[in-house]
Amino acid sequence: MANAGNLNAVRETMDVLLEISRLLNTGLDMESLSICVRLCEQGINPEALASVIKELRKATDSLKVAENMTG
Amino acid sequence: MAHWNKFEKDLNKLIQYISGVPEEDPDFQMALQFAWSNVRFHRFLDVDSHKITRVIDGIHEKLIIHSELPKAVSWRRLTDEFLELPLETVEGTKTKEHYAILSLLLALSDSPSNSQYTEKARQKEEVQHDDFDWAKYLMEGEEIDIGPYPDTPEWSEEESEEELQESLSREDSGIQVDKTSPEEQAQIKKAAPHASSKVGEPEARLWLEQHVVTQYWTNRAFKFSHSFHLHSNLAAVWEQHLYNTDPLYYSDERTFVTEAQVIRETLWLLSGVNKLFMYTLHDGKISVRTDIMVAHLTQNCLRAVLEQIAAYGQVVFRLQKFMDEVIGYSSESCPPGTLPMCKKFTEPPFRTYQSFVWALHKYFVNFKEELVSIEKCMITKDETVTLAAVLEKLAPRLSQLKILHKVFSTGIAEVPPDTPNVIRASHLLNTLYKAIIEYDSVGEAAEQTVSLLFSLWVETVRPYLEIVDEWIVHGNLSDPAKEFIIQRNNNVPVNHRDFWHSTCTLYSVSEKTGIAENISDGAGSSCNIDQESSSKQHTMVSFLKPVLKQIIMAGKSMQLLQNLESKDNPGLLMQNAHRDAERKSLYALFLESLQSRLRYRENPESCEHAVPEQQATKESLIKVQSIVARHLELEDVHDPLLAINFARLYMEQSDFHERFSSGDVNVDRSSESVTCQTFELTLRSCLYPHIDKRYLECCGKLMQTLKTDYKLVEYLQAMRNFFLLEAGETMYDFYVAIFDKVKEKESWQHLSFLNARLQEAVAQHYPEDSSRLSIYLENIDIVKKRLPVHSIDGLTLSYKVPWPVDIVISSECQKIYNQVFILLLQIKWAKYSLDVLRFDEPTEAYEKPRETLFENSNWSFEALKSPIRPQIHRMFLLRVKLMHFVNSLHNYIMTRILHSTGLEFQHQIEEAKDLDQLIKIHYRYLSTIYDRCLLREKISFVKEAIMKVLNLVLMFANRWQTGLGVSKIESIEKMESDFKNCHMFLVTVLNKAVCRGSFPHLESLASSLMAGMEQS
């Protein structure tokens, strides 16, 4: 893997990205952001990924609402 | 494609992270499929760096227009910075991947202009990252002791500051991990710096922190003052290692605590506190907080240890909750077993559970004392207390907790909520009992366990023993909560005939189904129960099983006795009460013998010490009692009831005292030493003898009362006198009158006639029985009626048996008696009709009347010469044969069977120990005579043959009387052959039976009949 210098650089990148993400109010935290970054680096289409994430969020929310209704 | 696999892993993670659905869930699979197909087959264009740049510019412009200048500046700088920074796997800057990531974030962005944002925090981090070389710090492991000192606090400061920002939301609760949404978190982060500055302000708080304890539960940042030795910073080292090897490693917010704090919270948890910082209570489950850390252990390690403790905490919590539930609905101050105090509640208290809770409570008091002593030890700081040491010290207690929980969950928690109390109680007792036996068989290995369980059991069994005691001593089955396995059927009054058979219902719990089954407990209650239990494996309170019969017998006897006594002598109750004051309860006796037994083995001195003390208290009691009585007399109050009540009151108090002081200690002592002795043996020697003794006492007394005051034996004799014709001359008068009427061909089936004859006959010899005896006729079927011998079948003799003797001589018994009575009458009838035949009758009827009877009876040779003579001769011969047959049958039944069986019966009655046994003996006697009189359905062919002969006899007698003119030689021959056939048949059958040897009593009958055969 990367050496120590690179490690720090990458960490800084992640920090910057997290800031950007927060600024844009994307709702991603460090963990999910790092997964997304990894996926993007592997060449996945970002817009497709974004749509997937949005759909998943929607579905999860509706599931929770349903649970609250029944529960 | 290889990289699709990598995708899949990351996608899995992502879906899990976003949706929170576990991988096994079908929803998860759906989500994965959806994501997979969307990612692989989409309609989006590839990333266009120009387009992204344009969008970035657009956002910048937009932010400026919205007059969010700081944001705009941050935005510009951040994006530029990002594009210049390297990625993990991709070389170079401003690559396609950079834009792809930006594109993703842009696509996910949600009105950036409206959201609040400050960049401050990140910049600080950035700075710290830049000037700190962690790798170097770690690589030089050897020199760590003298390592860069100033770095460490800085690092921890960073950590704690992060916490500070993240976790203010739980400042108030101190328990819950707050999972706020990202938006909220962002807001909180913004608010954090202001809040943190406020928290530290009050001086008092600072003082407290310095002098008493750091407020770790508020998540405030604080510094550790411990050493920087490698061993005490293991967690930090490990953290650093993770940080260095994984660039995307992201450490959660943590709260640092010290081991002392962990120990203290652990002790509190085990003592039943459930509002703690490290252990959280959620939905009745205790779990370990995820974000705590100690400096010298990794998070996982600490967690593993604490989770074990949490499991025990859970047990304590469950038990505590159960105790609260049970105590909750009675009062706090009400110790179990003292019924009067609890009576004010509408629902009667469930005493078995209460006692169990009481036992648990005692255990927990002990346990808490131990915990407190450990805590004290910690406070004084005399010795080092570590978590491991505490756990080791508590290990026996913890294993005990485990056992308690096992017992609790099988004995109480698993019982469905709407089960009746009786099942709950017996199930609990059984569970304890079984557990004890189970561990007892292990031997010394489980000594502690057995003693714990035993002490629990001894306490829990208390209400049961008290109920038993009350029942077998006073005859009332007082069980308001319906928890005892035997319950009184209230619809059967004591002075009813059915009382003995159906007074109680025995509940037994089937182990497999757990459903209660009522065995209505009848006369043969014990045998009934035995059968049931053997076939279905019932487990009604196992420990009582060996003495259950005794308990039932004693209880019922006592109840009956009480009733008899109160009816006869109302003052007797008073005396009983007097006596009662000096009596010790069954439970007390049990405890006493338990102690003496166990202590006898253990150390004899302590026994000597304790017993005189008890005696002394007892003596003083009696003294006080007499003082009270004298005092009352002085005031001219002659009220024995009052005196008794005073005495009782005192007794109760002393009982109370005993229970709380010496009693308690003793039980615990005994439980300590109930070691290698088998538990059942202990019971056998300590509990059962008391019950047995009591059983013998009351049953003996009842038998005595029944025999002397209620003349049971006399009634039994009366039954034999009249039904079994033992009072020969009396009954002779009665039946001969009937036979004469039949002989004269007069109608005899008038009730008035029959009763008059009966009364006349009985009144002469047994005047007291004449009013009880009566006779009536039952309809019999016409087919049978045609045969003369069955014409008396409908006669029914009845004897009015007064209560309570009718418990023994029931109407069913009378029926059997009556059947024997009819058989006897039939034989007597046949015998009588043969006996009264006169030799002159046939000749008289045939020829002209001769001169004298004497001449005729000496049948002369001339007479034989006439053609009619041989017929008469044959008649005479047949008569003698029939007489022989009837007489042997009569002898057999009257002497061999009825008399000898009667003697045996009398003997057994003398020896009967309880009423149940007596009833059984009586039944057995009846069934024996029923059998031996050949009335049993199975051998009805024998009876039929006999009946045929008897019938033949009656017909023969009839012919004889009406004269031989009617009877042709053919009819005589027919009678002869009929008789011969029946005779032959009987002889063969009886001989066979005799040869088999199974019916020795038949021997005499068979041989006498044989003799008759040989002559013919």
Side-chain angles (χ1 to χ4, degrees), chain B residues 4 54 188 374 578 597 656 699 835 876 899 975 994:
Chain B
W4 288 121
R54 268 206 306 281
I188 288 158
I374 294 177
H578 257 305
R597 175 184 161 87
F656 187 81
C699 290
D835 283 348
F876 287 170
H899 186 67
M975 278 197 274
V994 169

Side-chain angles (χ1 to χ4, degrees), chain B residues 767-780:
Chain B
E768 73 276 14
D769 286 326
S770 64
S771 57
R772 300 185 188 285
L773 269 174
S774 65
I775 198 157
Y776 56 94
L777 283 163
E778 261 177 15
N779 288 329
I780 46 168

Side-chain angles (χ1 to χ4, degrees), chain B residues 739-752:
Chain B
F739 299 156
D740 281 341
K741 279 256 181 194
V742 180
K743 196 179 146 199
E744 303 301 324
K745 302 253 177 340
E746 283 170 35
S747 148
W748 55 273
Q749 283 113 326
H750 298 297
L751 270 184
S752 52

Side-chain angles (χ1 to χ4, degrees), chain B residues 332-392:
Chain B
E332 294 280 338
S333 61
C334 175
T338 51
L339 191 63
M341 287 175 75
C342 307
K343 256 187 177 158
K344 54 193 170 203
F345 297 95
T346 48
E347 203 178 339
F350 184 16
R351 290 190 288 165
T352 305
Y353 271 18
Q354 281 184 343
S355 314
F356 182 64
V357 164
W358 176 241
L360 279 183
H361 174 72
K362 279 202 294 197
Y363 174 78
F364 272 112
V365 165
N366 255 333
F367 182 40
K368 278 173 195 167
E369 267 168 20
E370 198 174 326
L371 292 177
V372 167
S373 76
I374 294 177
E375 204 177 341
K376 268 184 193 154
C377 193
M378 273 183 74
I379 290 168
T380 52
K381 291 181 181 167
D382 280 344
E383 50 187 289
T384 322
V385 181
T386 64
L387 190 58
V390 168
L391 286 185
E392 197 176 342

Side-chain angles (χ1 to χ4, degrees), chain B residues 427-478:
Chain B
H427 184 64
L428 175 61
L429 285 171
N430 272 342
T431 312
L432 278 170
Y433 184 76
K434 260 189 244 157
I436 292 174
I437 292 195
E438 194 180 303
Y439 285 107
D440 202 27
S441 57
V442 178
E444 283 183 40
E447 235 171 69
Q448 290 284 323
T449 318
V450 171
S451 66
L452 165 71
L453 287 174
F454 189 70
S455 63
L456 278 185
W457 183 82
V458 165
E459 277 295 331
T460 314
V461 88
R462 187 191 178 107
Y464 255 54
L465 289 186
E466 274 168 359
I467 291 169
V468 168
D469 182 53
E470 179 68 16
W471 195 33
I472 63 179
V473 173
H474 296 129
N476 358 324
L477 190 56
S478 79

Side-chain angles (χ1 to χ4, degrees), chain B residues 25-59:
Chain B
D25 203 296
D27 286 349
F28 181 85
Q29 293 304 326
M30 258 167 62
L32 184 64
Q33 267 176 12
F34 166 78
W36 197 227
S37 69
N38 266 282
V39 169
R40 283 180 78 175
F41 316 106
H42 57 82
R43 58 191 160 73
F44 301 107
L45 298 173
D46 276 359
V47 184
D48 181 359
S49 55
H50 298 291
K51 205 172 142 197
I52 300 293
T53 317
R54 268 206 306 281
V55 176
I56 290 175
D57 289 346
I59 288 179

Side-chain angles (χ1 to χ4, degrees), chain A residues 1-60 63-64, chain B residues 3 6-7 10 13-15 17-19 27 31 34-35 38-39 42 44-45 47 59 71 74-75 78-79 81-82 85-89 97 100-101 103-110 112 115 117-119 122 125-126 129-130 182-183 243-244 246-248 250:
Chain A
M1 258 249 206
N3 59 31
N6 193 16
L7 264 179
N8 273 339
V10 170
R11 191 159 294 133
E12 200 186 330
T13 313
M14 287 310 293
D15 286 336
V16 172
L17 266 180
L18 186 65
E19 284 304 311
I20 296 174
S21 156
R22 278 177 50 214
L23 198 150
L24 287 176
N25 198 16
T26 58
L28 293 175
D29 59 5
M30 195 53 163
E31 182 89 33
S32 44
L33 183 65
S34 55
I35 298 172
C36 289
V37 168
R38 215 174 293 147
L39 280 167
C40 286
E41 282 179 17
Q42 282 160 17
I44 222 163
N45 186 294
E47 288 179 73
L49 184 61
S51 75
V52 165
I53 291 175
K54 279 181 188 165
E55 284 301 320
L56 279 177
R57 278 181 183 166
K58 244 191 262 170
T60 313
L63 208 69
K64 272 180 191 157
Chain B
H3 75 278
K6 264 198 274 171
F7 274 179
D10 282 330
K13 255 199 234 166
L14 188 65
I15 292 168
Y17 203 82
I18 292 176
S19 63
D27 286 349
F34 166 78
N38 266 282
V39 169
H42 57 82
F44 301 107
L45 298 173
V47 184
I59 288 179
K71 251 191 194 178
S74 292
W75 171 247
L78 283 168
T79 45
E81 215 173 291
F82 171 66
L85 280 166
L87 285 173
E88 192 187 358
T89 53
E97 282 74 20
I101 292 167
S103 151
L104 170 76
L105 292 181
L106 287 173
L108 284 174
S109 77
D110 179 18
S115 65
Y117 170 74
T118 40
E119 204 196 332
R122 188 199 68 86
E125 259 174 52
E126 219 173 24
H129 275 305
D130 285 344
E183 286 93 335
Y243 190 75
N244 283 331
D246 185 359
L248 298 181
Y250 175 75

